Amino acid sequence: KAISAVEFNEFSKNLATNLLSAKDGILFIDNAHQLVPDGYKPGEITPMDKLYAELEKTGEHPIIILASKAAGFSKYLEENPEVNSRFNLKFYLPDMSVDILYELGIIFLQEKNFNILPDAAEKLKKRFLFLFRNQHNIELASDIGKNGFLVQREINKIINEHFLNPDFQNNPNSIL
């Protein structure tokens, strides 16, 4: 089950049951830094602490993957060795290049049986270049997303805008 940190608030309302239902699976929480409030001081109770307290009670739990780019989350883990010790593996992945975002987009479209003409491919690459540049603009980055989620969201947006939209029938040359 994949949830964002914002959705975690809803998920945590019935945390024990939800963790039990995910027991043999993987729980992926994106933007995990949002589970630790700004201005956090060691010793404060956070949604992250509630998650770990519930995991301690149940004994059995899913594999949990927390994704975060915020430096504050790394600091939180450093200041909380009992939480940090629960993570046997840590991966530090760089942002994907525009070329990799584009290649993923092509793969997603091909998986949905779309053929990509050269003109559309060029427009797709320009769209990812625009999004990539905006990822590095602090004001826009949180709304845009990162990496694979960004690619998947943009491809779904393109499909919805151009192929599921009845107006597309009237102007089929407006792809991308």
Side-chain angles (χ1 to χ4, degrees):
K1 178 168 180 76
I3 60 174
S4 70
V6 173
E7 295 166 325
F8 182 80
N9 289 330
E10 187 64 32
F11 182 85
S12 67
K13 287 180 182 173
N14 199 353
L15 191 55
T17 302
N18 287 329
L19 285 174
L20 190 59
S21 71
K23 179 175 83 170
D24 294 324
I26 297 172
L27 177 61
F28 178 86
I29 301 175
D30 196 19
N31 295 317
H33 58 276
Q34 293 176 353
L35 299 178
V36 181
D38 286 338
Y40 163 81
K41 294 177 183 48
E44 290 180 345
I45 302 296
T46 69
M48 184 68 70
D49 298 316
K50 292 176 186 174
L51 172 65
Y52 289 113
E54 193 58 45
L55 289 172
E56 287 294 321
K57 284 188 220 172
T58 62
E60 294 184 44
H61 46 78
I63 294 170
I64 298 177
I65 299 173
L66 303 174
S68 177
K69 285 202 51 118
F73 189 66
S74 295
K75 185 177 180 191
Y76 167 81
L77 290 175
E78 289 171 16
E79 292 174 347
N80 291 277
E82 70 284 354
V83 175
N84 194 22
S85 68
R86 290 184 171 271
F87 297 98
N88 299 333
L89 300 172
K90 294 180 183 85
F91 299 97
Y92 299 94
L93 306 174
D95 283 340
M96 292 182 192
S97 69
V98 173
D99 290 334
I100 293 173
L101 293 172
Y102 166 76
E103 287 176 30
L104 271 177
I106 295 295
I107 290 168
F108 286 152
L109 286 168
Q110 289 171 339
E111 286 175 350
K112 295 180 183 286
N113 297 318
F114 284 96
N115 292 321
I116 300 93
L117 299 175
D119 186 45
E122 185 179 323
K123 289 178 182 179
L124 182 63
K125 190 158 192 170
K126 286 180 182 177
R127 188 167 181 159
F128 283 121
L129 178 61
F130 172 78
L131 291 170
F132 181 81
R133 287 180 179 156
N134 284 336
Q135 281 181 330
H136 300 285
N137 175 333
I138 298 297
E139 293 174 12
L140 297 174
S142 61
D143 293 330
I144 290 173
K146 296 285 183 193
N147 297 330
F149 286 117
L150 176 141
V151 174
Q152 190 172 28
R153 188 191 72 212
E154 284 304 306
I155 295 303
N156 287 335
K157 188 187 283 185
I158 290 166
I159 291 169
N160 287 331
E161 287 172 358
H162 299 290
F163 297 100
L164 302 179
N165 181 347
D167 290 338
F168 176 74
Q169 309 303 335
N170 300 329
N171 189 10
N173 295 324
S174 66
I175 298 174
L176 300 174

PDB file of all heavy atoms in Angstrom, residues 32 35-37 40-50 52 66 71-84 87:
ATOM      1  N   ALA A  32       7.840  11.297   3.940  1.00  0.00           N
ATOM      2  CA  ALA A  32       7.814  10.921   5.353  1.00  0.00           C
ATOM      3  C   ALA A  32       8.236  12.057   6.275  1.00  0.00           C
ATOM      4  O   ALA A  32       7.853  12.072   7.447  1.00  0.00           O
ATOM      5  CB  ALA A  32       8.703   9.699   5.582  1.00  0.00           C
ATOM      6  N   LEU A  35       5.786  13.638   8.546  1.00  0.00           N
ATOM      7  CA  LEU A  35       5.364  12.988   9.783  1.00  0.00           C
ATOM      8  C   LEU A  35       6.117  13.524  10.989  1.00  0.00           C
ATOM      9  O   LEU A  35       5.854  13.141  12.117  1.00  0.00           O
ATOM     10  CB  LEU A  35       5.566  11.469   9.691  1.00  0.00           C
ATOM     11  CG  LEU A  35       4.773  10.764   8.599  1.00  0.00           C
ATOM     12  CD1 LEU A  35       5.096   9.284   8.589  1.00  0.00           C
ATOM     13  CD2 LEU A  35       3.285  10.990   8.768  1.00  0.00           C
ATOM     14  N   VAL A  36       7.077  14.393  10.718  1.00  0.00           N
ATOM     15  CA  VAL A  36       7.849  15.039  11.781  1.00  0.00           C
ATOM     16  C   VAL A  36       7.635  16.541  11.598  1.00  0.00           C
ATOM     17  O   VAL A  36       8.081  17.117  10.627  1.00  0.00           O
ATOM     18  CB  VAL A  36       9.353  14.694  11.672  1.00  0.00           C
ATOM     19  CG1 VAL A  36      10.126  15.357  12.779  1.00  0.00           C
ATOM     20  CG2 VAL A  36       9.552  13.191  11.692  1.00  0.00           C
ATOM     21  N   PRO A  37       6.926  17.181  12.513  1.00  0.00           N
ATOM     22  CA  PRO A  37       6.580  18.594  12.335  1.00  0.00           C
ATOM     23  C   PRO A  37       7.808  19.513  12.285  1.00  0.00           C
ATOM     24  O   PRO A  37       8.848  19.208  12.863  1.00  0.00           O
ATOM     25  CB  PRO A  37       5.724  18.921  13.562  1.00  0.00           C
ATOM     26  CG  PRO A  37       5.642  17.703  14.388  1.00  0.00           C
ATOM     27  CD  PRO A  37       6.442  16.624  13.759  1.00  0.00           C
ATOM     28  N   TYR A  40      10.622  20.452  15.169  1.00  0.00           N
ATOM     29  CA  TYR A  40      10.662  19.293  16.059  1.00  0.00           C
ATOM     30  C   TYR A  40      11.828  19.404  17.037  1.00  0.00           C
ATOM     31  O   TYR A  40      12.926  19.799  16.680  1.00  0.00           O
ATOM     32  CB  TYR A  40      10.809  18.001  15.227  1.00  0.00           C
ATOM     33  CG  TYR A  40      11.253  16.827  16.056  1.00  0.00           C
ATOM     34  CD1 TYR A  40      10.335  16.126  16.818  1.00  0.00           C
ATOM     35  CD2 TYR A  40      12.586  16.449  16.114  1.00  0.00           C
ATOM     36  CE1 TYR A  40      10.734  15.067  17.604  1.00  0.00           C
ATOM     37  CE2 TYR A  40      12.999  15.387  16.890  1.00  0.00           C
ATOM     38  CZ  TYR A  40      12.070  14.704  17.639  1.00  0.00           C
ATOM     39  OH  TYR A  40      12.472  13.660  18.420  1.00  0.00           O
ATOM     40  N   LYS A  41      11.544  19.047  18.286  1.00  0.00           N
ATOM     41  CA  LYS A  41      12.573  19.005  19.330  1.00  0.00           C
ATOM     42  C   LYS A  41      12.616  17.589  19.879  1.00  0.00           C
ATOM     43  O   LYS A  41      11.566  16.981  20.102  1.00  0.00           O
ATOM     44  CB  LYS A  41      12.249  19.997  20.440  1.00  0.00           C
ATOM     45  CG  LYS A  41      12.321  21.443  19.982  1.00  0.00           C
ATOM     46  CD  LYS A  41      11.918  22.394  21.104  1.00  0.00           C
ATOM     47  CE  LYS A  41      11.910  23.828  20.689  1.00  0.00           C
ATOM     48  NZ  LYS A  41      11.259  24.179  19.475  1.00  0.00           N
ATOM     49  N   PRO A  42      13.810  17.023  20.058  1.00  0.00           N
ATOM     50  CA  PRO A  42      13.907  15.655  20.569  1.00  0.00           C
ATOM     51  C   PRO A  42      13.038  15.461  21.810  1.00  0.00           C
ATOM     52  O   PRO A  42      12.979  16.315  22.684  1.00  0.00           O
ATOM     53  CB  PRO A  42      15.396  15.501  20.892  1.00  0.00           C
ATOM     54  CG  PRO A  42      16.072  16.457  19.955  1.00  0.00           C
ATOM     55  CD  PRO A  42      15.121  17.619  19.838  1.00  0.00           C
ATOM     56  N   GLY A  43      12.324  14.352  21.822  1.00  0.00           N
ATOM     57  CA  GLY A  43      11.442  14.048  22.946  1.00  0.00           C
ATOM     58  C   GLY A  43       9.979  14.319  22.647  1.00  0.00           C
ATOM     59  O   GLY A  43       9.108  13.800  23.336  1.00  0.00           O
ATOM     60  N   GLU A  44       9.688  15.138  21.633  1.00  0.00           N
ATOM     61  CA  GLU A  44       8.297  15.402  21.259  1.00  0.00           C
ATOM     62  C   GLU A  44       7.702  14.164  20.586  1.00  0.00           C
ATOM     63  O   GLU A  44       8.396  13.423  19.907  1.00  0.00           O
ATOM     64  CB  GLU A  44       8.214  16.574  20.281  1.00  0.00           C
ATOM     65  CG  GLU A  44       8.539  17.909  20.886  1.00  0.00           C
ATOM     66  CD  GLU A  44       8.444  19.040  19.862  1.00  0.00           C
ATOM     67  OE1 GLU A  44       8.398  18.780  18.653  1.00  0.00           O
ATOM     68  OE2 GLU A  44       8.442  20.182  20.301  1.00  0.00           O
ATOM     69  N   ILE A  45       6.417  13.947  20.783  1.00  0.00           N
ATOM     70  CA  ILE A  45       5.719  12.833  20.145  1.00  0.00           C
ATOM     71  C   ILE A  45       5.274  13.276  18.751  1.00  0.00           C
ATOM     72  O   ILE A  45       4.621  14.310  18.603  1.00  0.00           O
ATOM     73  CB  ILE A  45       4.493  12.399  20.975  1.00  0.00           C
ATOM     74  CG1 ILE A  45       4.915  11.993  22.386  1.00  0.00           C
ATOM     75  CG2 ILE A  45       3.735  11.274  20.276  1.00  0.00           C
ATOM     76  CD1 ILE A  45       5.817  10.786  22.435  1.00  0.00           C
ATOM     77  N   THR A  46       5.626  12.495  17.752  1.00  0.00           N
ATOM     78  CA  THR A  46       5.286  12.789  16.355  1.00  0.00           C
ATOM     79  C   THR A  46       4.442  11.654  15.787  1.00  0.00           C
ATOM     80  O   THR A  46       4.377  10.570  16.377  1.00  0.00           O
ATOM     81  CB  THR A  46       6.569  12.921  15.508  1.00  0.00           C
ATOM     82  OG1 THR A  46       7.167  11.615  15.415  1.00  0.00           O
ATOM     83  CG2 THR A  46       7.550  13.909  16.094  1.00  0.00           C
ATOM     84  N   PRO A  47       3.805  11.864  14.641  1.00  0.00           N
ATOM     85  CA  PRO A  47       3.110  10.739  13.995  1.00  0.00           C
ATOM     86  C   PRO A  47       4.058   9.562  13.733  1.00  0.00           C
ATOM     87  O   PRO A  47       3.646   8.406  13.795  1.00  0.00           O
ATOM     88  CB  PRO A  47       2.598  11.345  12.685  1.00  0.00           C
ATOM     89  CG  PRO A  47       2.410  12.792  13.012  1.00  0.00           C
ATOM     90  CD  PRO A  47       3.543  13.128  13.946  1.00  0.00           C
ATOM     91  N   MET A  48       5.322   9.849  13.474  1.00  0.00           N
ATOM     92  CA  MET A  48       6.306   8.790  13.268  1.00  0.00           C
ATOM     93  C   MET A  48       6.434   7.938  14.533  1.00  0.00           C
ATOM     94  O   MET A  48       6.499   6.712  14.474  1.00  0.00           O
ATOM     95  CB  MET A  48       7.655   9.404  12.899  1.00  0.00           C
ATOM     96  CG  MET A  48       8.721   8.391  12.577  1.00  0.00           C
ATOM     97  SD  MET A  48       8.388   7.496  11.050  1.00  0.00           S
ATOM     98  CE  MET A  48       8.643   8.782   9.863  1.00  0.00           C
ATOM     99  N   ASP A  49       6.454   8.594  15.685  1.00  0.00           N
ATOM    100  CA  ASP A  49       6.549   7.870  16.958  1.00  0.00           C
ATOM    101  C   ASP A  49       5.324   6.984  17.176  1.00  0.00           C
ATOM    102  O   ASP A  49       5.428   5.871  17.696  1.00  0.00           O
ATOM    103  CB  ASP A  49       6.697   8.848  18.124  1.00  0.00           C
ATOM    104  CG  ASP A  49       7.970   9.670  18.026  1.00  0.00           C
ATOM    105  OD1 ASP A  49       9.023   9.090  17.715  1.00  0.00           O
ATOM    106  OD2 ASP A  49       7.891  10.883  18.252  1.00  0.00           O
ATOM    107  N   LYS A  50       4.153   7.483  16.795  1.00  0.00           N
ATOM    108  CA  LYS A  50       2.927   6.694  16.940  1.00  0.00           C
ATOM    109  C   LYS A  50       2.993   5.438  16.070  1.00  0.00           C
ATOM    110  O   LYS A  50       2.576   4.360  16.495  1.00  0.00           O
ATOM    111  CB  LYS A  50       1.711   7.535  16.578  1.00  0.00           C
ATOM    112  CG  LYS A  50       1.441   8.650  17.573  1.00  0.00           C
ATOM    113  CD  LYS A  50       0.292   9.525  17.125  1.00  0.00           C
ATOM    114  CE  LYS A  50       0.150  10.717  18.072  1.00  0.00           C
ATOM    115  NZ  LYS A  50      -0.839  11.670  17.611  1.00  0.00           N
ATOM    116  N   TYR A  52       5.724   3.806  15.171  1.00  0.00           N
ATOM    117  CA  TYR A  52       6.646   2.848  15.780  1.00  0.00           C
ATOM    118  C   TYR A  52       6.096   2.249  17.068  1.00  0.00           C
ATOM    119  O   TYR A  52       6.322   1.078  17.341  1.00  0.00           O
ATOM    120  CB  TYR A  52       8.015   3.471  15.988  1.00  0.00           C
ATOM    121  CG  TYR A  52       8.678   3.646  14.658  1.00  0.00           C
ATOM    122  CD1 TYR A  52       8.914   4.900  14.148  1.00  0.00           C
ATOM    123  CD2 TYR A  52       9.004   2.542  13.882  1.00  0.00           C
ATOM    124  CE1 TYR A  52       9.476   5.056  12.904  1.00  0.00           C
ATOM    125  CE2 TYR A  52       9.562   2.687  12.639  1.00  0.00           C
ATOM    126  CZ  TYR A  52       9.803   3.946  12.143  1.00  0.00           C
ATOM    127  OH  TYR A  52      10.342   4.098  10.909  1.00  0.00           O
ATOM    128  N   LEU A  66      10.085   4.348   3.893  1.00  0.00           N
ATOM    129  CA  LEU A  66       9.829   5.772   4.069  1.00  0.00           C
ATOM    130  C   LEU A  66      10.651   6.524   3.039  1.00  0.00           C
ATOM    131  O   LEU A  66      11.853   6.300   2.916  1.00  0.00           O
ATOM    132  CB  LEU A  66      10.232   6.223   5.473  1.00  0.00           C
ATOM    133  CG  LEU A  66       9.565   5.487   6.634  1.00  0.00           C
ATOM    134  CD1 LEU A  66      10.178   5.930   7.953  1.00  0.00           C
ATOM    135  CD2 LEU A  66       8.075   5.725   6.625  1.00  0.00           C
ATOM    136  N   ALA A  71      16.126  17.266   4.463  1.00  0.00           N
ATOM    137  CA  ALA A  71      17.265  17.079   5.360  1.00  0.00           C
ATOM    138  C   ALA A  71      16.795  16.956   6.808  1.00  0.00           C
ATOM    139  O   ALA A  71      17.420  16.266   7.605  1.00  0.00           O
ATOM    140  CB  ALA A  71      18.243  18.239   5.207  1.00  0.00           C
ATOM    141  N   GLY A  72      15.684  17.592   7.137  1.00  0.00           N
ATOM    142  CA  GLY A  72      15.157  17.537   8.493  1.00  0.00           C
ATOM    143  C   GLY A  72      14.808  16.123   8.918  1.00  0.00           C
ATOM    144  O   GLY A  72      14.914  15.772  10.092  1.00  0.00           O
ATOM    145  N   PHE A  73      14.403  15.294   7.987  1.00  0.00           N
ATOM    146  CA  PHE A  73      14.065  13.916   8.318  1.00  0.00           C
ATOM    147  C   PHE A  73      15.327  13.140   8.687  1.00  0.00           C
ATOM    148  O   PHE A  73      15.327  12.355   9.637  1.00  0.00           O
ATOM    149  CB  PHE A  73      13.327  13.245   7.164  1.00  0.00           C
ATOM    150  CG  PHE A  73      12.770  11.905   7.534  1.00  0.00           C
ATOM    151  CD1 PHE A  73      11.755  11.790   8.470  1.00  0.00           C
ATOM    152  CD2 PHE A  73      13.257  10.747   6.961  1.00  0.00           C
ATOM    153  CE1 PHE A  73      11.244  10.563   8.831  1.00  0.00           C
ATOM    154  CE2 PHE A  73      12.748   9.510   7.310  1.00  0.00           C
ATOM    155  CZ  PHE A  73      11.736   9.417   8.247  1.00  0.00           C
ATOM    156  N   SER A  74      16.398  13.370   7.962  1.00  0.00           N
ATOM    157  CA  SER A  74      17.680  12.728   8.312  1.00  0.00           C
ATOM    158  C   SER A  74      18.112  13.144   9.709  1.00  0.00           C
ATOM    159  O   SER A  74      18.587  12.321  10.496  1.00  0.00           O
ATOM    160  CB  SER A  74      18.761  13.104   7.300  1.00  0.00           C
ATOM    161  OG  SER A  74      18.445  12.589   6.045  1.00  0.00           O
ATOM    162  N   LYS A  75      17.921  14.423  10.017  1.00  0.00           N
ATOM    163  CA  LYS A  75      18.282  14.925  11.345  1.00  0.00           C
ATOM    164  C   LYS A  75      17.415  14.256  12.417  1.00  0.00           C
ATOM    165  O   LYS A  75      17.902  13.871  13.472  1.00  0.00           O
ATOM    166  CB  LYS A  75      18.127  16.441  11.393  1.00  0.00           C
ATOM    167  CG  LYS A  75      18.606  17.041  12.689  1.00  0.00           C
ATOM    168  CD  LYS A  75      18.519  18.557  12.681  1.00  0.00           C
ATOM    169  CE  LYS A  75      19.011  19.067  14.016  1.00  0.00           C
ATOM    170  NZ  LYS A  75      18.756  20.453  14.231  1.00  0.00           N
ATOM    171  N   TYR A  76      16.116  14.093  12.120  1.00  0.00           N
ATOM    172  CA  TYR A  76      15.211  13.418  13.052  1.00  0.00           C
ATOM    173  C   TYR A  76      15.728  12.011  13.342  1.00  0.00           C
ATOM    174  O   TYR A  76      15.766  11.576  14.490  1.00  0.00           O
ATOM    175  CB  TYR A  76      13.796  13.362  12.464  1.00  0.00           C
ATOM    176  CG  TYR A  76      12.864  12.419  13.188  1.00  0.00           C
ATOM    177  CD1 TYR A  76      12.237  12.816  14.365  1.00  0.00           C
ATOM    178  CD2 TYR A  76      12.633  11.139  12.710  1.00  0.00           C
ATOM    179  CE1 TYR A  76      11.398  11.946  15.044  1.00  0.00           C
ATOM    180  CE2 TYR A  76      11.790  10.267  13.379  1.00  0.00           C
ATOM    181  CZ  TYR A  76      11.182  10.674  14.546  1.00  0.00           C
ATOM    182  OH  TYR A  76      10.349   9.817  15.218  1.00  0.00           O
ATOM    183  N   LEU A  77      16.117  11.284  12.297  1.00  0.00           N
ATOM    184  CA  LEU A  77      16.620   9.926  12.499  1.00  0.00           C
ATOM    185  C   LEU A  77      17.906   9.926  13.322  1.00  0.00           C
ATOM    186  O   LEU A  77      18.084   9.078  14.191  1.00  0.00           O
ATOM    187  CB  LEU A  77      16.854   9.234  11.156  1.00  0.00           C
ATOM    188  CG  LEU A  77      15.588   8.886  10.364  1.00  0.00           C
ATOM    189  CD1 LEU A  77      15.964   8.308   9.006  1.00  0.00           C
ATOM    190  CD2 LEU A  77      14.701   7.928  11.131  1.00  0.00           C
ATOM    191  N   GLU A  78      18.786  10.878  13.060  1.00  0.00           N
ATOM    192  CA  GLU A  78      20.031  10.972  13.827  1.00  0.00           C
ATOM    193  C   GLU A  78      19.748  11.222  15.308  1.00  0.00           C
ATOM    194  O   GLU A  78      20.433  10.683  16.175  1.00  0.00           O
ATOM    195  CB  GLU A  78      20.913  12.091  13.279  1.00  0.00           C
ATOM    196  CG  GLU A  78      21.533  11.784  11.935  1.00  0.00           C
ATOM    197  CD  GLU A  78      22.209  13.002  11.329  1.00  0.00           C
ATOM    198  OE1 GLU A  78      22.472  13.996  12.048  1.00  0.00           O
ATOM    199  OE2 GLU A  78      22.464  12.965  10.118  1.00  0.00           O
ATOM    200  N   GLU A  79      18.751  12.057  15.596  1.00  0.00           N
ATOM    201  CA  GLU A  79      18.441  12.414  16.980  1.00  0.00           C
ATOM    202  C   GLU A  79      17.604  11.359  17.694  1.00  0.00           C
ATOM    203  O   GLU A  79      17.373  11.461  18.892  1.00  0.00           O
ATOM    204  CB  GLU A  79      17.711  13.758  17.007  1.00  0.00           C
ATOM    205  CG  GLU A  79      18.601  14.918  16.582  1.00  0.00           C
ATOM    206  CD  GLU A  79      17.844  16.222  16.459  1.00  0.00           C
ATOM    207  OE1 GLU A  79      16.586  16.220  16.451  1.00  0.00           O
ATOM    208  OE2 GLU A  79      18.513  17.261  16.339  1.00  0.00           O
ATOM    209  N   ASN A  80      17.139  10.360  16.958  1.00  0.00           N
ATOM    210  CA  ASN A  80      16.306   9.308  17.527  1.00  0.00           C
ATOM    211  C   ASN A  80      16.882   7.943  17.152  1.00  0.00           C
ATOM    212  O   ASN A  80      16.369   7.259  16.259  1.00  0.00           O
ATOM    213  CB  ASN A  80      14.863   9.436  17.020  1.00  0.00           C
ATOM    214  CG  ASN A  80      14.202  10.667  17.580  1.00  0.00           C
ATOM    215  OD1 ASN A  80      13.708  10.658  18.692  1.00  0.00           O
ATOM    216  ND2 ASN A  80      14.230  11.750  16.809  1.00  0.00           N
ATOM    217  N   PRO A  81      17.932   7.537  17.856  1.00  0.00           N
ATOM    218  CA  PRO A  81      18.602   6.287  17.489  1.00  0.00           C
ATOM    219  C   PRO A  81      17.696   5.057  17.543  1.00  0.00           C
ATOM    220  O   PRO A  81      17.869   4.128  16.766  1.00  0.00           O
ATOM    221  CB  PRO A  81      19.756   6.172  18.488  1.00  0.00           C
ATOM    222  CG  PRO A  81      19.596   7.269  19.466  1.00  0.00           C
ATOM    223  CD  PRO A  81      18.556   8.209  18.977  1.00  0.00           C
ATOM    224  N   GLU A  82      16.681   5.065  18.427  1.00  0.00           N
ATOM    225  CA  GLU A  82      15.779   3.915  18.495  1.00  0.00           C
ATOM    226  C   GLU A  82      14.947   3.788  17.231  1.00  0.00           C
ATOM    227  O   GLU A  82      14.620   2.686  16.793  1.00  0.00           O
ATOM    228  CB  GLU A  82      14.878   3.968  19.744  1.00  0.00           C
ATOM    229  CG  GLU A  82      13.814   5.050  19.755  1.00  0.00           C
ATOM    230  CD  GLU A  82      14.319   6.474  20.041  1.00  0.00           C
ATOM    231  OE1 GLU A  82      15.505   6.657  20.351  1.00  0.00           O
ATOM    232  OE2 GLU A  82      13.502   7.402  19.938  1.00  0.00           O
ATOM    233  N   VAL A  83      14.600   4.910  16.612  1.00  0.00           N
ATOM    234  CA  VAL A  83      13.884   4.886  15.339  1.00  0.00           C
ATOM    235  C   VAL A  83      14.875   4.564  14.223  1.00  0.00           C
ATOM    236  O   VAL A  83      14.630   3.700  13.381  1.00  0.00           O
ATOM    237  CB  VAL A  83      13.165   6.231  15.072  1.00  0.00           C
ATOM    238  CG1 VAL A  83      12.535   6.250  13.690  1.00  0.00           C
ATOM    239  CG2 VAL A  83      12.115   6.492  16.144  1.00  0.00           C
ATOM    240  N   ASN A  84      15.994   5.241  14.232  1.00  0.00           N
ATOM    241  CA  ASN A  84      17.003   5.057  13.199  1.00  0.00           C
ATOM    242  C   ASN A  84      17.473   3.607  13.119  1.00  0.00           C
ATOM    243  O   ASN A  84      17.701   3.080  12.031  1.00  0.00           O
ATOM    244  CB  ASN A  84      18.186   5.994  13.463  1.00  0.00           C
ATOM    245  CG  ASN A  84      19.107   6.123  12.279  1.00  0.00           C
ATOM    246  OD1 ASN A  84      18.727   5.876  11.143  1.00  0.00           O
ATOM    247  ND2 ASN A  84      20.332   6.511  12.550  1.00  0.00           N
ATOM    248  N   PHE A  87      15.952   0.882  10.727  1.00  0.00           N
ATOM    249  CA  PHE A  87      16.228   0.885   9.297  1.00  0.00           C
ATOM    250  C   PHE A  87      17.579   0.237   9.046  1.00  0.00           C
ATOM    251  O   PHE A  87      18.619   0.856   9.222  1.00  0.00           O
ATOM    252  CB  PHE A  87      16.212   2.314   8.741  1.00  0.00           C
ATOM    253  CG  PHE A  87      14.867   2.959   8.877  1.00  0.00           C
ATOM    254  CD1 PHE A  87      14.603   3.811   9.925  1.00  0.00           C
ATOM    255  CD2 PHE A  87      13.856   2.677   7.966  1.00  0.00           C
ATOM    256  CE1 PHE A  87      13.353   4.399  10.068  1.00  0.00           C
ATOM    257  CE2 PHE A  87      12.606   3.249   8.103  1.00  0.00           C
ATOM    258  CZ  PHE A  87      12.359   4.111   9.156  1.00  0.00           C
TER     259      PHE A  87
END
